[in-house]
Amino acid sequence: MANKEKNNFLFLVYLAGLSVIGFLATDMYLPAFDKMRIDLETSKNSISASLTLFLAGYAIAQLLWGPLADKIGKPRSILMGLGIFTVASLAIYFTNSVTMLLSLRLIQAVGVCAAAVSWQALVIERYPADQTNKVFATIMPLVALSPALAPLLGVFMLDHYNWRSIFIVLALIALLLMAYTFTLKTERTTDGATLKQKGESYIQLLRSKTYIGNVMIYAVCSGAFFAWLTGSPFFLKELGYNEGEIGFSFVPQTIAFMLGGYGYRALSDKVEGKRILPFLLVLYSVAVIGVLAITLISTPTLVMLLVPFCLMALANGACYPIVVAQAMKLFPNSLGKASAMQNALQLGTCFLASGIVSLFSGTALLTTALVMVGTIPFVVIGYRLSK
């Protein structure tokens, strides 16, 4: 019994590692931008482009790994993808060319997508249907920690080594995940039967109103979150806050997101997710309207803005496991494609929301609030479709 619990804990840690490694690759090297610019003798725009290319590759390559994961199996696709990611990470350590850096960052993104596509599918495949929401609620709040902790780890590596060491750490994390992947057995459904090879196409997934509804909720709520992440450094600076205070502002929202996820996990055995979801979406809508109201009627303080935003983060943390599980369960024979399409639409929405806020950064606070409120109609449509 103890051995089984240990194996289950290790598998959860493994799934958490798969879920966050892409975000670690996104965030860990952010504090090193200036040192990279000096070392590679290039411009700020070129270094920033390494992040843009990574995000673009991370979104688009999801759709390539989805069918492949369904065809060859999740463990094999993870090994292939993380192998590519590891080689690219090690190559960045030795590069002295910004052009090579940009190319390798794109290759990194393509490789790490295999982990992002596969971990959600593994949850559906390897846990009973009544446990999947709880498993998602265990893992997803940990993803919220990566934007807060990854830059701190990057700063630690910079202080003790150099910016190149950051990519060695990423390669080591990938190798650890690959080592555990070798222990995984052939994928099976929860009733023990081997999964069928033939599954649905992306077109068939998009024809499912229930799937689209749940994914739409996931995508637009994430988009509102990214609108804040993009806009807050601009508008908090305008409101007179320094970099340290801006950095600290990410802590309460991260805690709120985790409380939402683990709060739902505690309730999941007693109350069905579908029953809780409408209340969470109402809380989300009230919270983002609160951000806009505070923006319009006053010159807000950080605390005034954080109160409604943390409520939104709380609602997101609780509703993500519900809608992701509901979407994934619909296509047990196409879990790779279902996860890939879901992630691609989510990342695409986040990219769009972030882009709008960046484009109108001159009025960052108002634009951020409007983008967040603009997600409410899509939340309503998504909920109606999901039913």
Side-chain angles (χ1 to χ4, degrees):
M1 182 71 175
N3 196 36
K4 183 179 179 181
E5 290 179 355
K6 179 182 178 182
N7 290 337
N8 186 54
F9 174 75
L10 288 175
F11 186 60
L12 284 173
V13 172
Y14 168 72
L15 291 175
L18 292 179
S19 71
V20 302
I21 187 170
F23 296 101
L24 292 178
T26 304
D27 300 327
M28 196 185 297
Y29 85 128
L30 296 180
F33 268 22
D34 195 52
K35 290 188 177 180
M36 293 173 68
R37 177 187 64 81
I38 295 170
D39 192 24
L40 297 176
E41 298 179 350
T42 187
S43 65
K44 291 181 180 179
N45 288 341
S46 295
I47 298 299
S48 297
S50 69
L51 178 60
T52 304
L53 274 174
F54 185 92
L55 293 174
Y58 194 50
I60 297 170
Q62 305 267 348
L63 300 176
L64 302 176
W65 282 107
L68 186 61
D70 287 334
K71 184 175 182 179
I72 67 174
K74 312 306 177 298
R76 288 182 181 178
S77 64
I78 291 170
L79 289 172
M80 287 176 59
L82 290 184
I84 293 170
F85 175 82
T86 301
V87 171
S89 299
L90 293 174
I92 289 175
Y93 181 85
F94 295 102
T95 187
N96 290 305
S97 162
V98 69
T99 302
M100 185 60 69
L101 171 70
L102 296 176
S103 301
L104 290 170
R105 282 292 285 170
L106 182 59
I107 294 171
Q108 262 194 321
V110 171
V112 83
C113 277
V117 164
S118 297
W119 82 266
Q120 294 171 348
L122 287 172
V123 171
I124 300 297
E125 286 178 348
R126 295 168 184 265
Y127 286 91
D130 61 349
Q131 293 293 312
T132 53
N133 288 32
K134 181 179 286 189
V135 175
F136 279 123
T138 301
I139 296 171
M140 283 187 157
L142 299 177
V143 177
L145 283 175
S146 58
L149 296 183
L152 294 179
L153 181 56
V155 169
F156 176 84
M157 299 306 297
L158 282 175
D159 288 343
H160 291 81
Y161 303 100
N162 54 51
W163 69 265
R164 297 174 188 273
S165 64
I166 293 171
F167 295 94
I168 296 295
V169 171
L170 290 171
L172 290 174
I173 294 172
L175 287 172
L176 288 173
L177 293 172
M178 291 173 68
Y180 189 90
T181 305
F182 280 109
T183 70
L184 298 182
K185 298 177 181 179
T186 304
E187 293 142 283
R188 295 184 178 275
T189 56
T190 52
D191 64 359
T194 302
L195 281 173
K196 298 178 183 178
Q197 294 300 310
K198 184 175 174 59
E200 292 82 3
S201 67
Y202 282 129
I203 298 299
Q204 289 172 299
L205 264 61
L206 292 173
R207 287 175 179 167
S208 169
K209 291 183 179 180
T210 306
Y211 176 79
I212 288 297
N214 283 297
V215 171
M216 184 180 293
I217 294 171
Y218 181 47
V220 298
C221 289
S222 299
F225 206 89
F226 267 73
W228 174 279
L229 294 179
T230 304
S232 57
F234 293 110
F235 63 71
L236 291 179
K237 194 72 174 177
E238 292 173 1
L239 292 172
Y241 294 96
N242 60 40
E243 284 76 8
E245 292 166 323
I246 294 171
F248 176 76
S249 72
F250 291 100
V251 176
Q253 60 196 258
T254 300
I255 294 173
F257 188 93
M258 295 184 69
L259 286 175
Y262 290 123
Y264 166 69
R265 185 182 186 280
L267 292 173
S268 60
D269 288 334
K270 301 175 183 178
V271 186
E272 190 179 4
K274 290 182 180 180
R275 292 179 58 189
I276 302 176
L277 184 60
F279 298 101
L280 294 173
L281 297 181
V282 168
L283 176 60
Y284 168 88
S285 301
V286 170
V288 296
I289 290 172
V291 173
L292 179 61
I294 290 171
T295 301
L296 293 175
I297 65 178
S298 66
T299 301
T301 64
L302 176 57
V303 173
M304 290 170 63
L305 290 169
L306 279 179
V307 170
F309 184 75
C310 285
L311 289 176
M312 189 202 89
L314 182 79
N316 281 0
C319 82
Y320 282 3
I322 300 171
V323 295
V324 168
Q326 288 180 174
M328 295 289 291
K329 289 176 185 177
L330 296 171
F331 302 102
N333 294 329
S334 302
L335 291 171
K337 286 193 281 289
S339 178
M341 178 61 72
Q342 176 178 255
N343 292 345
L345 291 174
Q346 181 219 14
L347 289 167
T349 303
C350 292
F351 183 80
L352 179 63
S354 179
I356 293 172
V357 172
S358 296
L359 186 63
F360 297 99
S361 58
T363 54
L365 178 55
L366 179 60
T367 302
T368 299
L370 289 173
V371 169
M372 291 168 68
V373 169
T375 64
I376 294 177
F378 295 98
V379 167
V380 174
I381 294 170
Y383 179 68
R384 292 178 66 87
L385 289 173
S386 71
K387 295 179 66 177

